[in-house]
Amino acid sequence: MDILSSFFLLIHITSLVLLSGFSDGTDLLSSTQSVSDGRSLVSKSGIFELGFFSPGSSNNRYLGIWYKNIPVPTVVWVANRGEPINDSSGLLMINSTGDLVLLSQSNGVVWSSNLKKEARNPIVQLLDSGNLVIRDERDGNSETFLWQSFDYPTDTILPGMKIGWDLKTGHERQLSAWKSSDDPTPGDFTMGVALYNFPDTFAWKGSKKHFRSDGLRYSGARESRSSPFQYSFPSMFELNFVWNETEVYNIFYVKNKSVMARSILNQTTYQSEFYIWNEETSTWMLNWYMPRDICDTYGYCGAYGKCDNTESPPCECLRGFKPKSPLYWAQGCERNKPIDCQNGDGFIKFDGLKLPDTTRSWVNKSMNLKECRDKCLQNCSCMAFANTDIRGGGSGCAIWLGDLIDITQLKSSGQDLYIRMSSSETGTKYESIKVKITVPIAIFIVAGLSLLSYYICRSHAKVKGTNNEGQEEEGMELQTFDIAVIAKATNDFSNDNKLGEGGFGSVYRGNLLDGQEIAVKRLSRSSRQGLNEFKTEVKLIAKLQHRNLVKLLGCCICGEEKMLVYEYMPNKSLDFFIFDKTRSKLLDWPIRFHIICGVVRGLLYLHQDSRLRIVHRDLKSSNVLLDSVMNPKISDFGLARTFGGDQTEGNTSRVVGTYGYMAPEYAFDGQFSLKSDVFSFGILVLEIITGKRNRGFYQPNHGYNLTGHAWTLWKEGRPLDLIDSFLQESCAPSEVLRCIHIALLCVQQNPDDRPYVCSVALMLGGENPFSQPKEPGFFMEKKTLETNSSAIKLESPATNDISISVLEGR
Ligand SMILES: *[C@@H]1O[C@H](CO)[C@@H](O)[C@H](O)[C@H]1NC(C)=O
Ligand SMILES: *[C@@H]1O[C@H](CO)[C@@H](O)[C@H](O)[C@H]1NC(C)=O
Ligand SMILES: *[C@@H]1O[C@H](CO)[C@@H](O)[C@H](O)[C@H]1NC(C)=O
Ligand SMILES: *[C@@H]1O[C@H](CO)[C@@H](O)[C@H](O)[C@H]1NC(C)=O
Ligand SMILES: *[C@@H]1O[C@H](CO)[C@@H](O)[C@H](O)[C@H]1NC(C)=O
Ligand SMILES: *[C@@H]1O[C@H](CO)[C@@H](O)[C@H](O)[C@H]1NC(C)=O
Ligand SMILES: *[C@@H]1O[C@H](CO)[C@@H](O)[C@H](O)[C@H]1NC(C)=O
Ligand SMILES: *[C@@H]1O[C@H](CO)[C@@H](O)[C@H](O)[C@H]1NC(C)=O
Ligand SMILES: *[C@@H]1O[C@H](CO)[C@@H](O)[C@H](O)[C@H]1NC(C)=O
Ligand SMILES: *[C@@H]1O[C@H](CO)[C@@H](O)[C@H](O)[C@H]1NC(C)=O
Ligand SMILES: CC(=O)N[C@H]1CO[C@H](CO)[C@@H](O)[C@@H]1O
């Protein structure tokens, strides 16, 4: 519409308004009336109200529908989402061809209902369901609408609203989150039904599938189990998935009609959330949400991987399949034996599953299972088949063409899926094949470790031997290397072989004659420890063996020279990756989470499982080394012990540690404990999440340090803004949130407020209740330390991430 005609239209409308006094508060709008800014329509029982509003701190005006009878402003629908009105001249009226039109003085027509055909006697009504409808006056109160707002959902589903497709008109009803609380413009988080041959409901993050709600598809399944997804859905809701010739949609109802409920897409959490109104507290209570755990993340285990969040790790290859890559379960699984296609393959039945993604599927609703099986065998790209409808014994046929992705093991019930196998495979006994994606990357702590650490937390006395990696064989002897061997291996400690330098000395890479790669730590000479003490100590530490600790192979003593020989870690250390712009891209969220979990396990072993009970005292990103498949290994554990003090708990006059990672009580008062390690761990986690160093962190908007920055975002309710932007793609928000929460608890000022590592492990698995963090502790600033104690010595001021030793610190 050009400016001129909208101008005339405006005059026309203004005269209409003058002609007919609109009485505020009615639910009806006739063609001779209009709603102007400041006035509203109210549904019959006063539940919903339609009018103009400005969201959050924005001054833009929008036409919307909200709850009238509650004190918390809750908008459920917006007409002009991406087309704000920037003054208060907004006007909603019915134009002469029956369209509902929204316009303003400065913006002209910003929105209209765009009826397909002209309406003769249109009236507009706001219903108690929250639906704004246009209908023909002559139709009376019938349910036939010329237009309804329920057909154009924004971010909210109200009871009775359909999300899906009208197959006759091709009209799609999709949800999209608000960009922010100030801006109802559609964000990149959307949800709707994908019209594959076998339709399915998806939530997307941009163009990427975020989660999938297969369970909604099966009305029969829903009757037999309380849950549309794999969890028990609150019994106060009822969900339906309808799929027939004319329509395919999801719909929900509240069983108790007097309970107010809504479901929204939340752009902050990337969750679909169900809220119910609590009269007593006058708040919206979060009743249910999706995704709920790692297995809800779309395609988490890759092709032919099965996700079960009660297992650790959650991913397992389906029977008959093996992991494609030992590193990375997201690459999925491949067949043990290829299918033959010509000579008659067979099928193995899997039960209790959430069926795989149906992007490439084929359906015939009148076929039975036998015909379905034959249909599948006819096509070499058919990998599986199942019933489309499992009501009354099951009927209908769906076949999957191509790889099977996003399969979840459900707890109570699920669907049967028949997967095509080579005939030699179908003969194998079921129990005999349980192929786990390799154990060394038993990455996710989820249930298993949680239980383990729970056990440990509960029964302190029985520490020894609870961890299966904790072999502490008595007979093991420490290997002593000859200095000549080491010198040869490291090219006479040449600079080319130098890997790095730390507070305790320099590290060299070396090759033994038998080809074994080693890392040699040449200790600086300032140790005051006697030779025999040193040997005893090293022997003790060599017995600490855990998959998340760097393995000490032996030592080498030659006069004043003391050296420690370790296994070599090909992928260097964590800081090498996370703080580097390019290399950080190699570490997506699953790997980072894997690293966090591994560090926790290593720490748990040091703190609780090993017989020595070691406080690391210098946990930091450069002390977390990575092996060839990116398993994290803590290094320099026990060094604090050999090299520094003789206590493991208490006070020390000799502070070893690294600026930025030291707990306040340790930095200032030399008090170290299990909890000071926990502090360093908290900082480490924040660094892994943000990709930024705590030390030297600077945020242009405010002067906060990294912990302060994390805390601020947490308080403002947008903790996810903390993550490295490229990680957004690969991350599971609930996992990230858990990690941020844990990190904040770990960096509390008061050591008593920090959790022990065993609780951290529980929390990481989502098992433990979380307490709310307080403002985090003071992180040590070099300046402050120097003013307080004059005797600081920076042993190697070469880089800014170096260990320091404070001699006689107090
Ligand atoms: C309001 O919007 C109109 C059209 O988009 C624009 O010309 C005008 O400058 C805006 N006014 C203000 C105050 O932003
Ligand atoms: C009424 O509004 C619709 C939608 O904007 C428009 O297509 C139609 O031309 C308008 N009718 C008149 C008479 O302006
Ligand atoms: C499809 O299902 C809806 C809801 O149950 C029903 O109203 C409609 O008549 C059905 N259409 C056909 C063609 O069965
Ligand atoms: C329905 O909800 C209302 C308001 O919360 C409550 O007073 C009433 O007892 C509920 N009815 C049933 C049958 O649960
Ligand atoms: C989205 O989730 C955040 C964090 O839980 C919450 O503060 C916010 O209110 C939610 N947004 C909506 C629209 O409910
Ligand atoms: C679906 O299966 C039925 C029963 O086998 C068959 O009669 C019908 O032709 C099939 N329809 C299609 C489109 O293949
Ligand atoms: C198998 O199915 C795919 C997808 O429908 C189709 O493109 C292909 O032609 C079929 N192959 C055979 C042999 O039927
Ligand atoms: C450590 O020092 C603090 C104060 O300097 C004292 O309160 C505490 O008891 C000491 N702890 C040990 C184990 O010596
Ligand atoms: C870092 O931020 C925390 C939280 O705001 C604050 O308590 C602490 O004093 C800050 N440390 C420094 C060195 O600024
Ligand atoms: C360290 O110095 C600062 C500033 O001089 C002072 O406020 C603080 O109390 C001192 N801390 C200790 C532990 O002495
Ligand atoms: C991410 C990365 O650099 N991975 C490397 C880890 O080490 C193995 C073995 O040296 C390499 O193959 C990987 O590319």
Side-chain angles (χ1 to χ4, degrees), residues 680-691:
S680 311
F681 171 75
I683 299 288
L684 177 70
V685 170
L686 287 179
E687 291 186 335
I688 292 175
I689 290 169
T690 56

PDB file of all heavy atoms in Angstrom, residues 680-691:
ATOM      1  N   SER A 680      40.044 -23.995  41.885  1.00  0.00           N
ATOM      2  CA  SER A 680      40.774 -23.984  40.603  1.00  0.00           C
ATOM      3  C   SER A 680      39.977 -24.706  39.529  1.00  0.00           C
ATOM      4  O   SER A 680      39.945 -24.292  38.363  1.00  0.00           O
ATOM      5  CB  SER A 680      42.130 -24.670  40.755  1.00  0.00           C
ATOM      6  OG  SER A 680      42.808 -24.183  41.870  1.00  0.00           O
ATOM      7  N   PHE A 681      39.323 -25.788  39.927  1.00  0.00           N
ATOM      8  CA  PHE A 681      38.505 -26.528  38.977  1.00  0.00           C
ATOM      9  C   PHE A 681      37.390 -25.638  38.433  1.00  0.00           C
ATOM     10  O   PHE A 681      37.089 -25.643  37.237  1.00  0.00           O
ATOM     11  CB  PHE A 681      37.917 -27.780  39.633  1.00  0.00           C
ATOM     12  CG  PHE A 681      36.892 -28.470  38.784  1.00  0.00           C
ATOM     13  CD1 PHE A 681      37.275 -29.228  37.689  1.00  0.00           C
ATOM     14  CD2 PHE A 681      35.532 -28.342  39.057  1.00  0.00           C
ATOM     15  CE1 PHE A 681      36.330 -29.842  36.886  1.00  0.00           C
ATOM     16  CE2 PHE A 681      34.579 -28.951  38.265  1.00  0.00           C
ATOM     17  CZ  PHE A 681      34.982 -29.706  37.177  1.00  0.00           C
ATOM     18  N   GLY A 682      36.767 -24.863  39.322  1.00  0.00           N
ATOM     19  CA  GLY A 682      35.691 -23.957  38.904  1.00  0.00           C
ATOM     20  C   GLY A 682      36.179 -22.982  37.844  1.00  0.00           C
ATOM     21  O   GLY A 682      35.518 -22.754  36.830  1.00  0.00           O
ATOM     22  N   ILE A 683      37.360 -22.408  38.090  1.00  0.00           N
ATOM     23  CA  ILE A 683      37.940 -21.469  37.114  1.00  0.00           C
ATOM     24  C   ILE A 683      38.186 -22.202  35.792  1.00  0.00           C
ATOM     25  O   ILE A 683      37.861 -21.703  34.713  1.00  0.00           O
ATOM     26  CB  ILE A 683      39.273 -20.904  37.643  1.00  0.00           C
ATOM     27  CG1 ILE A 683      39.052 -20.152  38.951  1.00  0.00           C
ATOM     28  CG2 ILE A 683      39.937 -20.014  36.595  1.00  0.00           C
ATOM     29  CD1 ILE A 683      38.356 -18.831  38.824  1.00  0.00           C
ATOM     30  N   LEU A 684      38.735 -23.399  35.904  1.00  0.00           N
ATOM     31  CA  LEU A 684      39.028 -24.189  34.705  1.00  0.00           C
ATOM     32  C   LEU A 684      37.765 -24.415  33.872  1.00  0.00           C
ATOM     33  O   LEU A 684      37.765 -24.270  32.652  1.00  0.00           O
ATOM     34  CB  LEU A 684      39.648 -25.527  35.122  1.00  0.00           C
ATOM     35  CG  LEU A 684      39.968 -26.517  34.013  1.00  0.00           C
ATOM     36  CD1 LEU A 684      41.132 -25.995  33.185  1.00  0.00           C
ATOM     37  CD2 LEU A 684      40.321 -27.890  34.580  1.00  0.00           C
ATOM     38  N   VAL A 685      36.684 -24.759  34.543  1.00  0.00           N
ATOM     39  CA  VAL A 685      35.431 -24.999  33.828  1.00  0.00           C
ATOM     40  C   VAL A 685      34.949 -23.731  33.122  1.00  0.00           C
ATOM     41  O   VAL A 685      34.540 -23.759  31.963  1.00  0.00           O
ATOM     42  CB  VAL A 685      34.344 -25.541  34.781  1.00  0.00           C
ATOM     43  CG1 VAL A 685      32.989 -25.558  34.099  1.00  0.00           C
ATOM     44  CG2 VAL A 685      34.715 -26.920  35.274  1.00  0.00           C
ATOM     45  N   LEU A 686      35.045 -22.602  33.831  1.00  0.00           N
ATOM     46  CA  LEU A 686      34.632 -21.347  33.190  1.00  0.00           C
ATOM     47  C   LEU A 686      35.483 -21.080  31.959  1.00  0.00           C
ATOM     48  O   LEU A 686      34.986 -20.622  30.934  1.00  0.00           O
ATOM     49  CB  LEU A 686      34.760 -20.182  34.183  1.00  0.00           C
ATOM     50  CG  LEU A 686      33.708 -20.135  35.279  1.00  0.00           C
ATOM     51  CD1 LEU A 686      33.952 -18.959  36.205  1.00  0.00           C
ATOM     52  CD2 LEU A 686      32.298 -20.043  34.693  1.00  0.00           C
ATOM     53  N   GLU A 687      36.757 -21.389  32.050  1.00  0.00           N
ATOM     54  CA  GLU A 687      37.628 -21.173  30.891  1.00  0.00           C
ATOM     55  C   GLU A 687      37.258 -22.091  29.734  1.00  0.00           C
ATOM     56  O   GLU A 687      37.284 -21.692  28.576  1.00  0.00           O
ATOM     57  CB  GLU A 687      39.093 -21.383  31.286  1.00  0.00           C
ATOM     58  CG  GLU A 687      39.609 -20.299  32.216  1.00  0.00           C
ATOM     59  CD  GLU A 687      41.105 -20.404  32.498  1.00  0.00           C
ATOM     60  OE1 GLU A 687      41.664 -21.512  32.389  1.00  0.00           O
ATOM     61  OE2 GLU A 687      41.704 -19.379  32.841  1.00  0.00           O
ATOM     62  N   ILE A 688      36.927 -23.316  30.067  1.00  0.00           N
ATOM     63  CA  ILE A 688      36.549 -24.268  29.013  1.00  0.00           C
ATOM     64  C   ILE A 688      35.265 -23.815  28.327  1.00  0.00           C
ATOM     65  O   ILE A 688      35.103 -23.915  27.117  1.00  0.00           O
ATOM     66  CB  ILE A 688      36.368 -25.684  29.603  1.00  0.00           C
ATOM     67  CG1 ILE A 688      37.722 -26.226  30.071  1.00  0.00           C
ATOM     68  CG2 ILE A 688      35.762 -26.633  28.570  1.00  0.00           C
ATOM     69  CD1 ILE A 688      37.645 -27.575  30.780  1.00  0.00           C
ATOM     70  N   ILE A 689      34.345 -23.282  29.115  1.00  0.00           N
ATOM     71  CA  ILE A 689      33.066 -22.858  28.559  1.00  0.00           C
ATOM     72  C   ILE A 689      33.215 -21.587  27.721  1.00  0.00           C
ATOM     73  O   ILE A 689      32.641 -21.469  26.642  1.00  0.00           O
ATOM     74  CB  ILE A 689      32.041 -22.631  29.688  1.00  0.00           C
ATOM     75  CG1 ILE A 689      31.648 -23.962  30.307  1.00  0.00           C
ATOM     76  CG2 ILE A 689      30.820 -21.895  29.183  1.00  0.00           C
ATOM     77  CD1 ILE A 689      30.869 -23.836  31.586  1.00  0.00           C
ATOM     78  N   THR A 690      34.005 -20.640  28.228  1.00  0.00           N
ATOM     79  CA  THR A 690      34.074 -19.346  27.556  1.00  0.00           C
ATOM     80  C   THR A 690      35.173 -19.293  26.526  1.00  0.00           C
ATOM     81  O   THR A 690      35.143 -18.459  25.620  1.00  0.00           O
ATOM     82  CB  THR A 690      34.362 -18.217  28.567  1.00  0.00           C
ATOM     83  OG1 THR A 690      35.572 -18.542  29.269  1.00  0.00           O
ATOM     84  CG2 THR A 690      33.235 -18.090  29.564  1.00  0.00           C
ATOM     85  N   GLY A 691      36.188 -20.144  26.663  1.00  0.00           N
ATOM     86  CA  GLY A 691      37.345 -20.044  25.787  1.00  0.00           C
ATOM     87  C   GLY A 691      38.202 -18.834  26.117  1.00  0.00           C
ATOM     88  O   GLY A 691      38.985 -18.383  25.299  1.00  0.00           O
TER      89      GLY A 691
END
